Amino acid sequence: MNAIDRLTEHFKRFPGIGPRQAKRFVYHLLKQSNADITNLTNLILDLKKNVRVCEDSFCHFYSDDPQERLSPIAKDESRDNSVLMILSNDTDMENIEKQGVFKGRYFILGGLLSALDQEPEKKLRANDLVRIVDKKSKNGLAEIIIALSANPDGDNTRDYVLQKLSPFEGIKISTLGRGISTGAELEYIDEGTMRSALLNRK
Amino acid sequence: MNAIDRLTEHFKRFPGIGPRQAKRFVYHLLKQSNADITNLTNLILDLKKNVRVCEDSFCHFYSDDPQERLSPIAKDESRDNSVLMILSNDTDMENIEKQGVFKGRYFILGGLLSALDQEPEKKLRANDLVRIVDKKSKNGLAEIIIALSANPDGDNTRDYVLQKLSPFEGIKISTLGRGISTGAELEYIDEGTMRSALLNRK
Amino acid sequence: MNAIDRLTEHFKRFPGIGPRQAKRFVYHLLKQSNADITNLTNLILDLKKNVRVCEDSFCHFYSDDPQERLSPIAKDESRDNSVLMILSNDTDMENIEKQGVFKGRYFILGGLLSALDQEPEKKLRANDLVRIVDKKSKNGLAEIIIALSANPDGDNTRDYVLQKLSPFEGIKISTLGRGISTGAELEYIDEGTMRSALLNRK
Amino acid sequence: MNAIDRLTEHFKRFPGIGPRQAKRFVYHLLKQSNADITNLTNLILDLKKNVRVCEDSFCHFYSDDPQERLSPIAKDESRDNSVLMILSNDTDMENIEKQGVFKGRYFILGGLLSALDQEPEKKLRANDLVRIVDKKSKNGLAEIIIALSANPDGDNTRDYVLQKLSPFEGIKISTLGRGISTGAELEYIDEGTMRSALLNRK
């Protein structure tokens, strides 16, 4: 395999990219100037140097300062320490931050468990979670919101997290409310959603 | 316009049908036997004769008996008289009945109000609703669930219904719970749904 | 099954209609006035009375005159008798007539043969075709254009038609040109189309 | 803007990539090992070093040898020098090569002209084309096939190329045949395609 084919293979591992689009990425790069290419590779290498994982929330963040251990959100003292939201991924956190609907702290698990996963501790930061919750429990943490996708993997992960958090009896643990979402039409709503919407009526 | 074109025009008024499919319906009928055609037109005429609107729930129902005034659901004495669900259309009721998640009574409004609708009473059975609720309030009705789609028309209609029902102070009025629905992914969830899901966490 | 369900079943046989849309058709009709319903059933019954199959082209046409045997296209003396286009369905003819690109005569086969069809003569008007071509061959017919869809069934049907027409040695028999069609992009073109486009380059 | 955002901006310029997917690419890279990242950037830098444009066909090709001026296709002596296919992009050539339907030479224009393009010579290798055709005309070139997409930009580009090639009177210039393509159904075919299919019938 030559450079074109090997780079195509690399791009095929990008999320949502098939062989044809991977090849088009390569041809796109072939048309770029040397300066553009160097800029791109520098930015990619920069990620590894200047982007690190926050020691509190475990989200990725950028900093020039190699000593920095905390993301801007974790450092922001105006945020509410009494509530912690558990999410699976950085992209979930980005979406929620953009909405501005939540002002507490985050913890990023790093993924979701499927029913077939044999070694959950390899896929999720469960030990880090227990350690962080233990620390925060001494510092005013009153509620943990498990905010995972409403699908089987999300439910598996929630059950696993609930079990891990069972020692923390003094902390309220909640999950996101289920019901009809924006734009939902009654004619097409599924049974699980209708059942939740009835249970959670108000 | 000849019979082919005029029937095509008629089929174009069917929900979701464009000119091309309307014409294909006509050619479909042209290939049917005389018996099939007669059968179809008899079934259509039968609708008007034997399908009527229930005097209690205002859903459509079929009965051979021209004296029948109540749908099977309205007549079913095992159902719960203490709770009434307000829906916009028969198709919503069919979906919910199929799921088996609700065992109370129904009232079909007959549509949804858009913000531009000047004469709500022409589009919705608001007076019938008030009359029916008044009657049921003397017969054990304790809660009304307004179960409308989670879109602007649904919200308009809910506000209008709430106003119409304001005289019934002794009856609890609820709306369906909002939150994340089956299959929702946090990464793509909209702000309104996330806000509801946080408010309704538990 | 009551009238609602039986009519739903009928609509499910309409081309491209699933159970949910079939049911919505029924509710659509339930909201129509008696006049609208009567009008619809009369139009459907009218089809069988006033629409017949042309004895020359075998397309469907509408006429008030029960003695009329020929479609307007078959009767139009300004059209070119020297060329006959063989099509599978009325809808194909409608599309081509609308475009105005062809001014000869038509013959509607009535369908396409799949590779599995055991009794082609039941599905296609092959005997009528031979009879009509024989008649037209004495009346100036010089070319037959087999105009069928470019898919396996179209190819099967073309082969069958070619065999049926083999006795007519004096008549030129052509098929539609194959190649790249409007909007086609070279990057995504399939091999068969590219091969034809090369063969038919000019 | 930090490294995450700047890299996201870069990925947004990749063909077919929106802001959300660009951000996911960044998070994908954040999860890669250092070795994977270095491998990726090396492959990208390698493109500029070892991939060059063929001096005959102007397609991109890979070679370790910095002296190499010709792509494997241009060097392949078994290919037919008498016919040259003009294409807009490498991806078109890849598709046709994969099909194995053409065994002549290629020339890659480098793009398509839209009706609004003021400076065609900046977008297309028109001068290179004239030079190459002149050279090949002394070496057995008998036919040029203009093989461009069947859309307005393709047609504009064809007209421009025809004008550029007008001095080469001894060389036959053809364009791809137009007509119905694989899978086309007569009922939905557009007028331009039907007109071509009739003209090119055989």
Side-chain angles (χ1 to χ4, degrees), chain B residues 165-199:
Chain B
L165 295 181
S166 58
F168 298 99
E169 293 183 351
I171 300 173
K172 179 186 168 197
I173 299 180
S174 60
T175 52
L176 289 181
R178 299 215 175 166
I180 59 175
S181 54
T182 308
E185 296 181 38
L186 268 279
E187 184 179 347
Y188 300 109
I189 222 158
D190 66 286
E191 181 183 332
T193 298
M194 189 65 200
R195 201 180 288 277
S196 301
L198 278 172
L199 274 172

Side-chain angles (χ1 to χ4, degrees), chain D residues 36-61:
Chain D
D36 271 339
I37 290 291
T38 310
N39 187 228
L40 173 63
T41 53
N42 285 343
L43 283 170
I44 292 173
L45 294 169
D46 219 31
L47 278 185
K48 280 290 164 185
K49 226 182 329 179
N50 293 325
V51 174
R52 56 189 71 88
V53 171
C54 171
E55 291 189 352
D56 186 64
S57 69
F58 291 81
C59 70
H60 287 93
F61 71 102

Side-chain angles (χ1 to χ4, degrees), chain A residues 101-115:
Chain A
V101 296
F102 177 73
K103 288 297 173 194
R105 303 294 178 182
Y106 294 105
F107 183 90
I108 307 294
L109 279 174
L112 289 175
L113 290 183
S114 82

Side-chain angles (χ1 to χ4, degrees), chain A residues 23 27 32 48 62 94, chain D residues 2 23 27 32 48 94:
Chain A
K23 182 61 81 68
Y27 282 117
Q32 305 296 301
K48 280 291 164 187
Y62 174 87
E94 291 222 348
Chain D
N2 64 41
K23 182 61 82 67
Y27 284 117
Q32 305 295 301
K48 280 290 164 185
E94 291 221 348

Side-chain angles (χ1 to χ4, degrees), chain B residues 14-26:
Chain B
F14 274 41
I17 298 306
R20 218 192 280 257
Q21 205 172 4
K23 182 61 79 71
R24 301 186 80 185
F25 285 0
V26 174

Side-chain angles (χ1 to χ4, degrees), chain C residues 83 85 87 91-92 95-96 98-102 143 145 147-151 172-202, chain D residues 83 85 87 91-92 95-96 98-102 143 145 147-151 172-202:
Chain C
V83 54
M85 182 183 283
L87 293 167
T91 42
D92 297 349
N95 186 22
I96 293 165
K98 207 176 55 202
Q99 298 171 352
V101 294
F102 177 74
E143 178 178 359
I145 303 172
L148 301 172
S149 294
N151 54 34
K172 179 187 169 196
I173 299 180
S174 60
T175 52
L176 290 181
R178 299 213 174 167
I180 59 175
S181 54
T182 308
E185 296 181 38
L186 267 280
E187 183 179 347
Y188 300 110
I189 223 158
D190 67 285
E191 181 183 331
T193 298
M194 189 64 200
R195 200 179 291 276
S196 301
L198 278 172
L199 274 174
N200 301 330
R201 71 184 185 269
K202 54 179 205 171
Chain D
V83 55
M85 183 182 285
L87 292 167
T91 41
D92 298 349
N95 186 22
I96 293 166
K98 207 177 54 203
Q99 296 170 354
V101 295
F102 177 72
E143 179 178 1
I145 303 173
L148 301 171
S149 295
N151 54 34
K172 180 186 169 197
I173 299 179
S174 59
T175 52
L176 290 181
R178 299 215 173 166
I180 59 175
S181 54
T182 309
E185 295 182 38
L186 268 278
E187 184 179 347
Y188 300 109
I189 221 159
D190 67 285
E191 182 183 331
T193 298
M194 189 64 199
R195 199 180 291 275
S196 301
L198 278 172
L199 274 173
N200 301 331
R201 71 185 185 268
K202 54 182 208 167

Side-chain angles (χ1 to χ4, degrees), chain A residues 2-4 6-7 10-11 13-17 20-21 23-34 36-41 43-48 50-51 60-62 89-91 94-95 98 110, chain D residues 2-4 6-7 10-11 13-17 20-21 23-34 36-41 43-48 50-51 60-62 89-91 94-95 98 110:
Chain A
N2 64 40
I4 293 178
R6 277 188 294 146
L7 185 54
H10 230 288
F11 283 139
R13 302 208 298 266
F14 275 41
I17 299 306
R20 217 192 279 257
Q21 206 173 1
K23 182 61 81 68
R24 301 185 81 185
F25 285 0
V26 175
Y27 282 117
H28 165 77
L29 292 179
L30 283 169
K31 289 180 185 167
Q32 305 296 301
S33 69
N34 280 324
D36 271 338
I37 290 291
T38 310
N39 187 228
L40 173 64
T41 53
L43 284 170
I44 292 173
L45 293 169
D46 219 31
L47 278 186
K48 280 291 164 187
N50 293 325
V51 175
H60 287 94
F61 71 103
Y62 174 87
N89 280 308
D90 285 87
T91 42
E94 291 222 348
N95 186 22
K98 207 177 53 202
Chain D
N2 64 41
I4 292 179
R6 278 189 293 148
L7 185 54
H10 230 288
F11 283 140
R13 302 208 298 266
F14 275 41
I17 298 306
R20 217 193 279 259
Q21 205 172 2
K23 182 61 82 67
R24 302 185 81 184
F25 285 0
V26 175
Y27 284 117
H28 166 76
L29 292 179
L30 282 169
K31 290 181 184 164
Q32 305 295 301
S33 69
N34 280 324
D36 271 339
I37 290 291
T38 310
N39 187 228
L40 173 63
T41 53
L43 283 170
I44 292 173
L45 294 169
D46 219 31
L47 278 185
K48 280 290 164 185
N50 293 325
V51 174
H60 287 93
F61 71 102
Y62 175 88
N89 280 306
D90 285 85
T91 41
E94 291 221 348
N95 186 22
K98 207 177 54 203

Side-chain angles (χ1 to χ4, degrees), chain D residues 144-158:
Chain D
I144 294 171
I145 303 173
I146 303 178
L148 301 171
S149 295
N151 54 34
D153 286 5
D155 292 345
N156 273 325
T157 310
R158 179 202 56 205

